[in-house]
Amino acid sequence: ISMIFQEPSVALNPVTTVGEQIVDAVRRRDHMSRRQARDYALHLMDLVGIQDAPSKLGAYPFELSGGLRQRVMIAAAVAGRPRLILCDEPTTALDVTVQAQILALFTHLRDEFGAALLYVTHDLAVVAQLCDSLTVLYSGKVMESRQDLQAALADPRHPYTRALLQSTPDVDRI
């Protein structure tokens, strides 16, 4: 199990390079040499779409944009080849273009690693792009749980689910 947090600048260690953070846990577990760890970090950085990965390997989180920091978090999350990736609003702080890229990346990584994603969000438009099923919580209680996402979005059973759907702007009506 791994975790991708909402705000990577809080989750990443500010005094450790991003390359070290990506491979820290797996380096110890898999007994990798420094060279192997560096190559693995570069591979993961390429995999998550970090351009010019060798120049970013020795960077500190504060030297990177929000989108790059989130990609570093994702690379670190998949480094251990998890079966489940917990995502806590990982695209909330990103602009819509970067958000779309990150969502496409999640789909690719889910397929590449065969991992399940548990995606926590209030944004049902994101859910519609990424998820297969839906569970809606309110005050820590399940309001609605549906295996068929399209049916849940087309005909929500609970008023809170309907309210969430209505909170998403309809660009066709503008």
Side-chain angles (χ1 to χ4, degrees):
I1 298 175
S2 66
M3 177 84 185
I4 301 169
F5 295 95
Q6 180 176 5
E7 184 48 59
S9 30
V10 174
L12 293 170
N13 185 337
V15 297
T16 305
T17 66
V18 296
E20 291 175 57
Q21 293 183 63
I22 290 171
V23 295
D24 184 48
V26 292
R27 183 166 181 249
R28 289 185 180 97
R29 184 193 70 206
D30 295 344
H31 307 290
M32 289 183 182
S33 68
R34 283 191 186 278
R35 176 65 175 191
Q36 289 170 318
R38 180 185 183 283
D39 291 346
Y40 188 51
L42 287 172
H43 165 72
L44 291 171
M45 291 171 84
D46 285 337
L47 185 68
V48 299
I50 296 176
Q51 302 294 318
D52 193 23
S55 72
K56 306 287 189 302
L57 193 66
Y60 291 89
F62 66 87
E63 297 176 309
L64 303 176
S65 69
L68 281 176
R69 283 192 299 264
Q70 195 59 283
R71 288 175 189 273
V72 167
M73 281 288 305
I74 295 166
V78 299
R81 298 173 299 282
R83 304 280 294 147
L84 174 63
I85 302 171
L86 305 174
C87 304
D88 179 16
E89 299 249 21
T91 59
T92 298
L94 305 175
D95 68 58
V96 291
T97 304
V98 175
Q99 182 183 52
Q101 293 169 355
I102 297 295
L103 292 175
L105 176 60
F106 281 141
T107 302
H108 171 73
L109 292 173
R110 179 187 63 204
D111 297 342
E112 170 100 7
F113 287 93
L117 294 176
L118 190 139
Y119 200 95
V120 177
T121 185
H122 63 279
D123 188 344
L124 292 185
V126 168
V127 170
Q129 287 182 294
L130 188 64
C131 300
D132 299 321
S133 62
L134 171 73
T135 299
V136 176
L137 302 176
Y138 181 77
S139 294
K141 293 186 171 52
V142 174
M143 298 292 111
E144 180 170 352
S145 187
R146 309 270 292 273
Q147 291 302 310
D148 183 347
L149 176 67
Q150 296 310 313
L153 296 176
D155 185 26
R157 293 180 181 154
H158 194 275
Y160 185 67
T161 308
R162 285 192 290 277
L164 282 173
L165 280 167
Q166 291 169 352
S167 72
T168 304
D170 184 355
V171 293
D172 293 332
R173 291 188 343 188
I174 295 176

